[in-house]
Amino acid sequence: RTAMKSINSGGTNLSSPDDENTWGGDFNPYAYPYFNADHHASTVYDLVVRFGRKWQEDAYSDLAPLVKQIQHRCQAHPKELLWKDSCGDTALHRLSQIARLPSFTSDERIFNWTKYFIDIGEYILEAHPFATIARNNWKETPLHQFASHCGLPFKLPSQATDARSVIKNNPIFPFFLQLTRHGAVYCKNWWESYALHDACELQGLETKEPRSLTGPLFVNPNESLLQSLHVQIIKHLIQEAPLSLYEIDDSGSTPLDRAAQSYATSSYVVRILVQVLLEEHEGRGRYLLIKQSPLTLLISHYFNPSSISPKRSVCDHIIQQLNENHQSPFEIARQLGSLWTNTVLLCTAQVYGTVSPISRLTMPLLHALIQTESPYCCVRLAMKLYPNELQQLSEAGETTLTLSLLGKGSHERDDQTRTSWRALLEAEPKLASMHNLKGQLPLHIAISKHTLAWNNGLEEIFTAHPFAIKTRDPSTGLFPFMQTATVGDFSSTFELLRSDPSLMKGNL
């Protein structure tokens, strides 16, 4: 934390390019000489910009002499590495911004271009190592801008099959390692974000969710080599600045919040972040997952307008698809993509404290969704995906119905009629007759919690299993009509006795 404060506390502004002791201070428009990036000067900045433009224009044959020019300029005029354009970007900022490969390039060009790229980076950092902590107008370092895209190419060499070999032979990754030097990982931008925040909210990378939905996590670590590269970058940022994993930006979001809510970020990254938090020995990571749950922010997306049907929320759209039964629940989950996958990951981590492949018999997903009071649509979807979990007991010996009745039974933004216990009863009416390990029936739980009135759910639970009226609650020894009278619900007491007046004989 001391390192973070010293780097982000600012300091005196640079008065000239010769002053190398105050990198990272607040931006001063008079600190550096300014120039127009569109003119044809031969500064290092202009040459780097020209390098990026030629590559995008596929002017591949002109790259080698241009790289030589950059090398000579860095050695002869190292002060130019401190110069900034009107946005405050240095040459290293611009190089970090173009750390991507066009999709039309061949395998040979990928190899040669990345070699040129890393050479330019080495020339700049050899001439001025502290260029890694230069700030632009938005207080972003080159690492911030690199992390926004993670230096990931649009494509990898076609012969690449092993993630480790790709990372090992990819020269962009060593360039990333150099950008993390001199405390750049601890630098905050204008929005109080570390590079880890930006890397977790990846921009411009299209990721595909795993084709196989065989398990509760829906995560395949080898699904994409691009995702594997991304994960290695995330891991290194955490390793270099572990405390940044707990820091919040100006919107109150941690890196995990950013990753979980970003549709462009691989769900495998979310799994890595959660795993690191769970392995934190002092328990702070588990506290972050439960008390400052990123699941809360993620779940809010279910109540946003659906991209398919803007007039309906995502939750309403899911319910409609489940009711119409035109698509399988696995197809619905696949369409939801990272929204559903990240919900499963965070919910499982919060309830069971793990992101490892778990046993469906001991850690059911349906129970976890009920315990975290997930939206009605999520519970409905999980019931369709895993119908066998409906009659499983939780770790505490509760059935799915008693577990729902012990909690609130619904998300705060759901309609009052959309409760998890009502969805469970509709899917499996026999749940009303299932005891928990204490011998209590759902009717006993519903009355003891005193959250349901007769006309607001209690009658539905009673109707599903009328014989419960003659069963005493093992914990109190009272019949249901006695329980309602004890809590002062006399209207329910009247209705229960009216349904079976014989209960009054010998019990009053």
Side-chain angles (χ1 to χ4, degrees):
R1 287 195 175 276
T2 303
M4 289 185 187
K5 289 180 180 179
S6 63
I7 290 175
N8 290 293
S9 60
T12 58
N13 296 307
L14 291 175
S15 58
S16 71
D18 295 325
D19 189 350
E20 300 177 359
N21 299 319
T22 53
W23 281 97
D26 294 334
F27 179 74
N28 182 348
Y30 303 103
Y32 302 102
Y34 273 72
F35 51 88
N36 186 348
D38 293 327
H39 67 61
H40 298 286
S42 296
T43 64
V44 176
Y45 178 95
D46 291 304
L47 293 173
V48 169
V49 171
R50 202 175 305 165
F51 172 78
R53 287 177 180 172
K54 284 183 177 294
W55 176 245
Q56 294 296 331
E57 295 167 0
D58 203 21
Y60 178 74
S61 58
D62 298 333
L63 289 180
L66 185 57
V67 174
K68 286 291 184 183
Q69 276 186 276
I70 294 174
Q71 180 185 16
H72 172 73
R73 197 75 188 180
C74 287
Q75 294 171 349
H77 304 278
K79 293 181 180 180
E80 290 181 1
L81 299 176
L82 305 180
W83 292 2
K84 297 183 177 182
D85 64 9
S86 58
C87 294
D89 289 333
T90 64
L92 190 58
H93 281 91
R94 293 306 299 262
L95 188 64
S96 300
Q97 293 169 18
I98 61 174
R100 295 178 64 81
L101 303 178
S103 57
F104 55 75
T105 184
S106 63
D107 291 355
E108 181 182 358
R109 290 198 175 189
I110 289 177
F111 176 79
N112 289 327
W113 182 84
T114 50
K115 182 179 182 301
Y116 288 141
F117 179 87
I118 195 63
D119 286 344
I120 295 174
E122 288 178 353
Y123 300 150
I124 293 175
L125 293 173
E126 284 175 5
H128 202 298
F130 287 93
T132 57
I133 51 175
R135 307 287 191 99
N136 63 12
N137 296 14
W138 296 276
K139 300 179 70 174
E140 292 178 322
T141 64
L143 181 60
H144 278 100
Q145 298 187 341
F146 180 93
S148 296
H149 303 291
C150 282
L152 296 176
F154 285 107
K155 62 174 288 186
L156 292 171
S158 57
Q159 69 272 18
T161 56
D162 180 68
R164 291 183 180 179
S165 64
V166 170
I167 295 169
K168 182 179 179 181
N169 298 321
N170 182 9
I172 293 181
F173 193 72
F175 173 71
F176 156 74
L177 296 180
Q178 294 194 55
L179 290 180
T180 62
R181 295 167 58 190
H182 304 295
V185 290
Y186 291 106
C187 293
K188 289 183 178 181
N189 63 15
W190 188 267
W191 300 276
E192 297 293 312
S193 298
Y194 292 93
L196 182 60
H197 285 85
D198 293 337
C200 289
E201 191 177 22
L202 188 59
Q203 301 173 9
L205 175 65
E206 294 182 1
T207 59
K208 294 182 179 179
E209 294 303 322
R211 299 185 184 92
S212 174
L213 301 181
T214 55
L217 298 183
F218 300 169
V219 173
N220 181 359
N222 301 317
E223 179 65 19
S224 168
L225 295 179
L226 294 182
Q227 294 177 12
S228 299
L229 283 168
H230 186 194
V231 166
Q232 292 302 316
I233 291 171
I234 294 290
K235 283 183 174 180
H236 187 77
L237 288 172
I238 296 174
Q239 181 181 350
E240 291 294 311
L243 291 180
S244 64
L245 192 59
Y246 302 93
E247 298 295 329
I248 59 174
D249 58 16
D250 63 352
S251 66
S253 298
T254 64
L256 180 56
D257 294 330
R258 292 269 199 99
Q261 296 182 78
S262 174
Y263 294 105
T265 303
S266 167
S267 294
Y268 190 50
V269 171
V270 177
R271 182 185 179 189
I272 291 296
L273 295 173
V274 172
Q275 192 166 8
V276 171
L277 288 171
L278 291 174
E279 291 173 356
E280 209 275 330
H281 297 296
E282 296 180 0
R284 187 180 178 188
R286 188 73 187 274
Y287 176 85
L288 179 67
L289 287 171
I290 298 176
K291 299 298 182 182
Q292 296 174 302
S293 175
L295 185 62
T296 304
L297 295 172
L298 178 64
I299 282 176
S300 65
H301 287 290
Y302 286 97
F303 300 96
N304 293 339
S306 170
S307 58
I308 300 175
S309 305
K311 293 184 179 179
R312 293 196 302 269
S313 66
V314 174
C315 194
D316 290 336
H317 181 69
I318 295 172
I319 294 170
Q320 182 184 14
Q321 287 181 307
L322 291 171
N323 291 338
E324 292 176 352
N325 207 25
H326 293 323
Q327 289 182 308
S328 70
F330 289 97
E331 285 296 325
I332 297 173
R334 187 176 288 109
Q335 286 179 0
L336 289 172
S338 60
L339 177 59
W340 173 251
T341 311
N342 290 341
T343 301
V344 174
L345 275 167
L346 294 175
C347 185
T348 304
Q350 184 169 318
V351 175
Y352 300 122
T354 180
V355 290
S356 303
I358 58 178
S359 170
R360 311 290 317 150
L361 297 175
T362 58
M363 301 180 184
L365 171 62
L366 181 58
H367 292 69
L369 290 170
I370 293 172
Q371 283 183 255
T372 53
E373 297 171 1
S374 297
Y376 176 78
C377 61
C378 294
V379 176
R380 285 277 309 270
L381 181 56
M383 286 163 46
K384 291 289 186 179
L385 288 170
Y386 308 110
N388 293 335
E389 293 183 0
L390 281 167
Q391 298 188 18
Q392 290 184 25
L393 296 180
S394 68
E395 292 179 304
E398 299 293 342
T399 68
T400 51
L401 185 54
T402 58
L403 192 64
S404 175
L405 292 169
L406 283 169
K408 292 183 179 179
S410 64
H411 188 270
E412 58 184 8
R413 293 182 62 179
D414 265 324
D415 186 89
Q416 291 185 352
T417 60
R418 292 180 173 178
T419 59
S420 56
W421 63 262
R422 187 171 278 115
L424 292 166
L425 267 183
E426 291 173 356
E428 186 61 73
K430 292 181 180 179
L431 289 173
S433 61
M434 287 183 61
H435 299 81
N436 61 14
L437 284 185
K438 297 178 181 178
Q440 293 175 303
L441 288 169
L443 184 62
H444 296 139
I445 300 291
I447 295 173
S448 63
K449 291 293 293 182
H450 195 43
T451 54
L452 298 178
W454 182 259
N455 295 326
N456 190 28
L458 197 59
E459 183 181 12
E460 298 175 48
I461 298 172
F462 167 70
T463 304
H465 184 56
F467 294 101
I469 195 174
K470 297 183 179 181
T471 306
R472 294 178 183 269
D473 185 341
S475 61
T476 62
L478 300 177
F479 286 105
F481 81 91
M482 296 178 176
Q483 285 183 286
T484 54
T486 302
V487 298
D489 185 4
F490 301 116
S491 60
S492 297
T493 303
F494 173 76
E495 295 293 343
L496 288 170
L497 288 174
R498 189 171 68 167
S499 65
D500 190 355
S502 63
L503 288 171
M504 297 180 64
K505 297 180 180 179
N507 291 317
L508 294 179

